[in-house]
Amino acid sequence: MRPWKKIAILFVFLGLFLPSKQFSEQFSVENIQTVVLPSNLQKESVKISSGIEDAVRILFSDDMVYVCGIELNMKIPEEIVAAAPAVSYAIYEDVKKNQNNHNMEGFKSFSATIPPKLSLNVYIPLTEAFPVKDSPYSERIPLIPKTDDGSIFIRFQNVLKSESQKIAKKRLLVEIKPVLMQKGLLHLEIAPEDEAHIPSLKKIKKQRGSGSYTIFVDDKQLEGSQNVFLSEGEHHASIVSDSYRNELRTFIVERGKTTNLFVELRSIEPTLMFICPVNTKIYFDGAKIEDFRKTFLIDAGEHSVKMRVGDYEVVRNFVASYGKSYTISLDIDATIREEQ
């Protein structure tokens, strides 16, 4: 390689890799393409054809809950591969048009040259949850670009003018797709049970507690929001309270999806249910129950139940405790005896 070309390449690399984010840079491009980043893996990726003096602005979609980065899959023409490192790609922030000369103006946060390869995968992290690590088969941008305007601006540039005639008309094929975090979102909704529709045999007015409860997801207490990102697979949630019954739920989280879990908090008051023949007459603490085919709220403490079918009568006493459910069954059986 001739000495002047070595010097030119050295200056190119110094310009590419020295920090420049603190300085606003003016530049021009031949064409700017604007695309919208798909929000999940179910949608197709976006494919564009870009010249070596073009730029692309990647707009974020409305649903970016699970997107933690961007993958650029570039197909490089043989002529650009042979001329490497003749073409660079750069990420700019706060890009806008200069009103005086109609050039673009922005802060370059990262830049690198395209290596002598026929294909190149570039990963741009958008959050700390970005799962892709450094690899000899791809390039991971070593920073999280500023995206306050809801987009990423990428500029391609011919940095070795000596190779311009060979590669000026060549185009890069770029496939753009989202990188999803390796988690899903649990949306947990909790509400007290509506006791208005539950019949009651209570004589003592209910003393309501504070109504507070504590949520644990995978044995870790959940603070603040009831939306939490979790790894793929099976999880469990438990709700512990002095005012309601403790609840436990098992659920599955899928990557890039929201799992909605609704938990109705049941009263801590004891309940009572009867399983008896339809013509049974039932007396609870001396009062007749007209329709026993329901679940009743009862007071905690001692109770007496009398059940009568025709001339057959049985009385049972029990002690009800908070947080417990009781079922009283009356079985009328028949025995067959065979004799010689």
Side-chain angles (χ1 to χ4, degrees):
M1 183 180 294
R2 296 180 181 180
W4 65 267
K5 191 169 184 179
K6 291 182 180 179
I7 295 174
I9 292 176
L10 175 63
F11 275 99
V12 166
F13 274 87
L14 288 175
L16 288 172
F17 295 107
L18 285 177
S20 60
K21 189 175 178 180
Q22 64 269 36
F23 302 109
S24 178
E25 175 185 331
Q26 291 194 30
F27 59 92
S28 61
V29 294
E30 293 183 358
N31 182 44
I32 300 175
Q33 298 185 64
T34 300
V35 299
V36 177
L37 180 69
S39 60
N40 55 61
L41 292 179
Q42 281 69 47
K43 295 183 180 179
E44 294 183 358
S45 57
V46 178
K47 297 179 181 180
I48 63 169
S49 173
S50 174
I52 61 173
E53 294 289 352
D54 291 350
V56 56
R57 186 187 292 274
I58 304 173
L59 300 177
F60 299 157
S61 62
D62 294 334
D63 182 12
M64 292 285 288
V65 175
Y66 305 106
V67 178
C68 63
I70 300 173
E71 178 183 352
L72 304 178
N73 190 328
M74 304 183 198
K75 302 299 181 185
I76 318 298
E78 293 182 358
E79 292 81 359
I80 295 180
V81 172
V87 179
S88 72
Y89 62 95
I91 297 176
Y92 284 80
E93 300 173 357
D94 299 325
V95 177
K96 57 186 177 182
K97 268 192 175 182
N98 189 303
Q99 298 299 322
N100 296 325
N101 54 22
H102 301 291
N103 285 341
M104 306 301 293
E105 185 174 347
F107 296 88
K108 185 193 296 182
S109 61
F110 175 81
S111 182
T113 56
I114 294 178
K117 298 179 180 179
L118 291 173
S119 65
L120 174 65
N121 280 4
V122 177
Y123 291 97
I124 306 172
L126 298 178
T127 72
E128 296 292 346
F130 191 70
V132 180
K133 307 298 182 183
D134 291 329
S135 165
Y137 307 104
S138 61
E139 295 188 6
R140 182 185 188 275
I141 305 302
L143 53 84
I144 298 177
K146 179 182 175 183
T147 57
D148 294 348
D149 62 350
S151 69
I152 289 283
F153 190 94
I154 300 172
R155 176 195 179 194
F156 297 100
Q157 183 182 9
N158 179 7
V159 293
L160 285 183
K161 302 304 179 184
S162 61
E163 304 291 336
S164 295
Q165 289 185 344
K166 301 178 183 177
I167 62 176
K169 301 297 183 180
K170 300 302 176 181
R171 302 187 68 81
L172 304 166
L173 299 179
V174 184
E175 183 179 11
I176 304 167
K177 53 187 175 182
V179 177
L180 301 188
M181 64 176 64
Q182 295 177 327
K183 295 183 178 182
L185 180 68
L186 168 65
H187 173 67
L188 182 60
E189 186 177 352
I190 299 174
E193 182 181 39
D194 182 10
E195 296 180 16
H197 68 282
I198 303 177
S200 175
L201 300 175
K202 292 171 57 62
K203 296 179 181 178
I204 302 174
K205 185 177 180 181
K206 179 180 178 181
Q207 299 295 320
R208 291 187 177 274
S210 63
S212 62
Y213 50 84
T214 305
I215 305 170
F216 294 89
V217 175
D218 296 335
D219 300 323
K220 294 181 180 179
Q221 186 171 343
L222 186 62
E223 303 285 355
S225 172
Q226 291 174 190
N227 292 329
V228 58
F229 286 103
L230 298 170
S231 59
E232 297 177 86
E234 184 177 285
H235 300 269
H236 61 270
S238 58
I239 296 93
V240 180
S241 174
D242 292 331
S243 304
Y244 305 100
R245 302 192 183 203
N246 295 340
E247 302 288 349
L248 178 64
R249 299 289 187 275
T250 300
F251 57 93
I252 301 294
V253 169
E254 297 182 63
R255 181 186 180 191
K257 294 184 179 181
T258 298
T259 300
N260 295 303
L261 180 62
F262 175 75
V263 179
E264 187 176 55
L265 297 178
R266 297 173 297 162
S267 170
I268 201 172
E269 300 289 327
T271 62
L272 176 61
M273 182 175 67
F274 298 96
I275 301 177
C276 304
V278 293
N279 60 338
T280 305
K281 294 180 181 179
I282 300 177
Y283 300 83
F284 180 80
D285 292 340
K288 185 178 180 181
I289 300 177
E290 296 299 335
D291 184 2
F292 59 81
R293 294 170 298 177
K294 301 174 182 178
T295 299
F296 300 90
L297 291 175
I298 61 175
D299 294 316
E302 295 185 3
H303 298 283
S304 175
V305 175
K306 181 170 66 176
M307 294 169 284
R308 181 186 297 162
V309 180
D311 295 332
Y312 179 76
E313 181 178 289
V314 62
V315 177
R316 292 290 184 266
N317 299 316
F318 71 100
V319 178
S321 301
Y322 285 109
K324 303 293 184 180
S325 297
Y326 299 89
T327 301
I328 298 179
S329 300
L330 177 61
D331 297 324
I332 299 178
D333 198 5
T335 301
I336 300 177
R337 187 173 61 185
E338 181 179 358
E339 296 181 353
Q340 292 291 344

